[in-house]
């Protein structure tokens, strides 16, 4: 069997067929077909026997006895072309097109399922003496029907029970490929003299290619077929191979739909509701643990997700989509199963501790007594529970405008998010699974103390890019209160520029690589969590996070969140930074837990002036524990009040801008070591001057603080 060079016969090939038809019309072979009919014609149309030359005829004179059949002369009668379809198979394949179950020979299939792919194969035999041109066409009809229709190709049609598809998985491309003799299901045929030749598989086409089947040869022809949703499960059907030529024999493939398979839900799913019932609220149970490490390109090996996200499970046997969407009865935008404003109400259907592993709703409930107060720059939560009129699908709406909102979808893409950990690199920590595919803002940094160039990215690469979408001059920041610098919302992208003199190492490693800082990060404290070094970068979420989270000290990239915290600034741990200490109030390490998650407490354990192992400044303990009543000018406890301070110092008085020293107050220099003094610290003798200790070179401070004049003081 020779496959045509194109999938459709061209004009030239049609002309050839016309010539074949003409030859057939004048050939003496065709009248001889009547000799196969055992019933003689009582009214012969041939001349009387007396006028017929016996040597010239190939057929004996008809007999008047109708019971006697004429006997062809085998020695002179040409053989009649015999085209047969003798056997069939109905096989199943998997979703990627691999053969899953080869059907038995001539066995009806009564277990078909809509839209599953089946391979319907037929054995074709040419037992005649002439080559035949055939065009394989698949037809269908109800069992017992005398009229068959052509099965449509490639796509399902309304009210049509089948269509011809392919077995190339999800690609849906048309193709005709050969079936070699070695791949035939049967090695023999009803004609013992016939030899096996190439057949063809036809995917996404009907009819297939016109082909020539040699005399006394057999082969197999196969179509890819899918039942549609309109296939009547109570009816039986036949699929017939029409070869475009008269056949002596034919056999039809008998098929029917089977009962719908039961829906088997995985352990973390629940069954749906009846169609006439209200839209249900689904709960996705906590998923199972995962296993095996994963590697992030350009970074160190990361821990695997602790579970496979239910948002990413799109199997036909689960209901993950229905947890958020109601395809036919949705009442909210994006086919959400309900109308939610804010949209966190939808998320809390699962993220309330009953479906998801974390209780985000509980985090917001825990800080309900601490509402956000924009007037004082006091924020305890990202306001995902506040009603918003902002678009759900416009990540660019923060650009250049004052849009202070943070819907769940502003930080999370629910279809992609999982529990993959964040991974450290020299350019910052990667965006972890919870914020994977969320839009963010990338920066191109310039010289020190300059605003970077911003560009919106639809999928964040680094965690800080998500934060820059709101907490930088990419958007319009809140109005600053000139009387209270401690409440200002600052441009974090400006502050964290690695070209600046001093900064926390978010986008790049820090600049203080002294031996004392190395020892400080390697040291211990009551609250030590992270094992960073002077070459490390850190995450925004190493400082900002929902309070009460359990952290793993060895893994700074562990999955975490920063929805709501009992600590102002949505800080992971307490940090006293605005309220100064009154007379007599002592040192309390827990008030500065945030600092001691990374830094050693060794320099704070003594009030003496001896050199310290973990700090270049030997007076840390003296300032925080040894001056309980030094203030003499003001009794105010507000760090923004010039000259305030009557007792022991707090960290923020020397490290006022904790992200960076690039935006100091009172005209100070942009110092190293994150030193930038708070507004209550006063100038002395013309200004506030800080000189860091550098090896054997002494450091000094020139200022007035807590009523004490440093003119300057050396250390």
């Amino acid at each position: 069997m020779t496959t045509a060079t194109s999938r459709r016969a061209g004009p030239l090939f049609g002309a050839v067929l016309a010539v074949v038809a003409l030859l057939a019309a004048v050939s003496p072979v065709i009248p001889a077909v009547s000799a196969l009919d055992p019933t003689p014609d009582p009214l012969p149309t041939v001349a009387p026997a007396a006028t017929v030359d016996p040597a010239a005829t190939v057929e004996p004179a008809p007999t008047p006895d109708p019971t006697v059949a004429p006997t062809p002369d085998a020695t002179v009668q040409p053989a009649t072309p015999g085209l047969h379809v003798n056997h069939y198979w109905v096989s199943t394949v998997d979703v990627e097109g691999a053969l899953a179950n080869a059907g038995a020979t001539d066995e009806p299939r009564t277990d078909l399922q809509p839209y599953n792919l089946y391979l319907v194969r037929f054995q074709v035999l040419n037992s005649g003496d002439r080559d035949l041109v055939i065009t394989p066409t698949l037809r269908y009809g109800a069992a017992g029907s005398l009229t068959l229709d052509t099965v449509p190709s490639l796509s399902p049609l309304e009210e049509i029970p089948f269509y011809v598809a392919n077995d190339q998985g999800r690609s849906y491309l048309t193709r005709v490929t050969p079936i070699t003799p070695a791949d035939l299901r049967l090695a023999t045929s009803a004609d013992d003299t016939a030899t096996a030749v190439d057949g063809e598989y036809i995917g996404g086409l009907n009819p297939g290619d016109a082909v020539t089947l040699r005399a006394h040869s057999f082969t197999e022809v196969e179509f890819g077929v899918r039942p549609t949703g309109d296939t009547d499960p109570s009816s039986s059907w036949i699929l017939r191979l029409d070869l475009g030529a008269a056949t002596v024999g034919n056999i039809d493939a008998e098929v029917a739909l089977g009962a719908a398979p039961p829906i088997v839900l995985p352990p973390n799913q629940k069954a749906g509701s009846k169609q006439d019932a209200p839209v249900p609220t689904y709960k996705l149970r906590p998923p199972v643990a995962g296993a095996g490490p994963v590697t992030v390109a350009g970074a160190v090996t990361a821990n695997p997700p602790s579970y496979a996200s239910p948002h990413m499970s799109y199997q036909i046997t689960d209901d993950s989509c229905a947890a958020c969407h109601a395809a036919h009865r949705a009442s909210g935008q994006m086919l959400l199963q309900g109308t939610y404003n804010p949209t966190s109400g939808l998320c809390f259907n699962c993220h309330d501790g009953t479906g998801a592993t974390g209780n985000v709703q509980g985090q917001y409930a825990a800080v309900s007594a601490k509402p956000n107060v924009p007037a004082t720059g006091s924020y305890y939560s990202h306001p995902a529970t506040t009603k918003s009129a902002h678009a759900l699908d416009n990540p660019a709406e923060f650009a250049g405008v004052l849009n202070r909102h943070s819907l769940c979808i502003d930080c999370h893409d629910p279809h992609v998010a999982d529990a993959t950990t964040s991974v450290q690199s020299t350019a910052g920590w990667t965006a972890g699974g919870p914020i994977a595919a969320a839009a963010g803002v990338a920066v191109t940094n310039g010289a020190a103390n300059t605003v970077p160039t911003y560009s919106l990215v639809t999928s964040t690469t680094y965690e800080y890019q998500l934060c820059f979408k709101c907490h930088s001059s990419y958007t319009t920041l809140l109005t600053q209160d000139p009387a209270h610098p401690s409440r200002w919302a600052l441009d974090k992208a400006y502050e964290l520029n690695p070209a600046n003199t001093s900064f926390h190492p978010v986008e790049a490693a820090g600049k203080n690589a002294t031996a004392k800082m190395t020892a400080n990060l390697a040291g211990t404290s009551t609250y030590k969590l992270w094992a960073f070094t002077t070459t490390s970068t850190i995450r925004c979420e190493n400082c900002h996070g929902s309070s009460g989270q359990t952290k793993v000290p060895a893994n700074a990239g562990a999955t975490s969140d920063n929805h709501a915290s009992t600590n102002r600034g949505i800080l992971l741990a307490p940090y006293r930074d605005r309220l100064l200490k009154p007379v007599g109030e002592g040192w309390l390490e827990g008030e500065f837990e945030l600092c001691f998650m990374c830094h050693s407490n060794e320099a704070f354990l003594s009030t003496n002036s001896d050199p310290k192992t973990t700090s270049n400044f030997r007076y840390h303990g003296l300032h925080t524990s040894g001056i309980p009543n030094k203030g003499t000018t003001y009794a105010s406890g507000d760090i923004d009040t010039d000259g305030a301070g009557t007792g022991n110092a707090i960290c923020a008085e020397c490290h006022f801008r904790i992200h960076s020293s690039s935006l100091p107050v009172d005209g100070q220099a942009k110092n190293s070591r994150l030193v930038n003094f708070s507004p209550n610290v006063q100038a002395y003798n013309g200004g506030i001057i800080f000189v860091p200790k550098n090896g054997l070179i002494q450091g000094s401070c020139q200022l007035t603080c807590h009523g004490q004049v440093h003119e300057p003081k050396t250390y």
Side-chain angles (χ1 to χ4, degrees), residues 200-227:
E200 65 180 19
Y201 166 81
I202 304 163
L205 290 172
N206 194 23
D209 287 344
V211 295
T212 299
L213 185 62
R214 299 200 309 266
H216 295 286
S217 68
F218 69 94
T219 191
E220 292 169 9
V221 174
E222 186 172 72
F223 282 88
V225 179
R226 294 183 193 269

Side-chain angles (χ1 to χ4, degrees), residues 151-175:
V151 179
S153 60
L154 200 59
S155 299
L157 298 177
E158 188 174 357
E159 298 183 358
I160 304 299
F162 302 96
Y163 68 100
V164 172
N166 69 46
D167 65 347
Q168 290 299 288
R170 300 173 177 86
S171 59
Y172 295 101
L173 300 175
T174 59
R175 68 187 180 99

Side-chain angles (χ1 to χ4, degrees), residues 537-608:
T537 54
I538 65 172
R539 302 170 62 193
C540 298
E541 289 193 358
N542 292 139
C543 292
H544 298 279
S546 298
S547 54
Q549 293 187 83
T550 300
K551 296 293 182 178
V552 181
N555 185 7
T559 300
S560 60
D561 53 62
N562 55 3
H563 300 112
S565 175
T566 55
N567 305 302
R568 183 175 38 77
I570 319 180
L571 293 174
L572 185 59
Y575 176 64
R576 183 169 180 169
D577 63 341
R578 291 185 185 175
L579 181 63
L580 300 177
K581 295 210 170 192
V583 171
E585 184 174 331
W587 161 255
L588 184 61
E589 185 177 325
E591 292 182 319
F592 308 99
E593 179 181 343
L594 184 74
C595 304
F596 295 124
M597 292 192 304
C598 295
H599 295 281
S600 169
N601 65 355
E602 183 259 351
F604 297 85
L605 300 180
S606 172
T607 61
N608 64 43

Side-chain angles (χ1 to χ4, degrees), residues 12 91 108 329 507 631 638 676:
L12 178 61
S91 306
R329 294 176 291 162
E507 295 183 55
D638 185 356
N676 56 112

